[in-house]
Amino acid sequence: MYLNNEIIQQPVNMTMTPDYYTNACLNFINDAIKQKQPFFLYMAYHPTHHPQFASSRFFNTSQRGMFGDAVSEMDYNICRVIDYLTERGI
């Protein structure tokens, strides 16, 4: 996994990427708020694509198998971003 030109994780633990990406989004939004700058955020989660995966928190939690687990985790993380924006009046 890269952050700009730096390898930050190798090999990548794919089950940790949704939380990592969401936290990076929240930090990005927070930095824009502090700098009073408008921002554009495009976030694409991978776990719903092949191969599908979910973190231990969401593993075997849906009736739709691994795909359902991945969608549930993606939904949870998208809600984290929406809640963060809502709490800040954005």
Side-chain angles (χ1 to χ4, degrees), residues 20-46:
Y20 179 83
Y21 292 161
T22 301
N23 291 336
C25 290
L26 299 178
N27 289 333
F28 171 78
I29 294 167
N30 192 51
D31 289 346
I33 291 169
K34 284 181 181 178
Q35 297 171 16
K36 297 183 181 179
Q37 292 292 315
F39 62 90
F40 173 80
L41 175 67
Y42 172 81
M43 182 58 227
Y45 290 96
H46 177 82

Side-chain angles (χ1 to χ4, degrees), residues 29-88:
I29 294 167
N30 192 51
D31 289 346
I33 291 169
K34 284 181 181 178
Q35 297 171 16
K36 297 183 181 179
Q37 292 292 315
F39 62 90
F40 173 80
L41 175 67
Y42 172 81
M43 182 58 227
Y45 290 96
H46 177 82
T48 57
H49 303 288
H50 188 74
Q52 296 166 347
F53 54 87
S55 68
S56 59
R57 181 175 45 197
F58 290 90
F59 188 74
N60 282 335
T61 59
S62 79
Q63 296 178 3
R64 297 289 300 197
M66 188 57 70
F67 179 75
D69 296 346
V71 170
S72 294
E73 185 162 23
M74 185 176 63
D75 181 62
Y76 167 79
N77 280 291
I78 291 169
C79 286
R80 285 179 58 201
V81 174
I82 292 170
D83 289 346
Y84 192 81
L85 293 168
T86 302
E87 289 166 7
R88 282 143 187 83

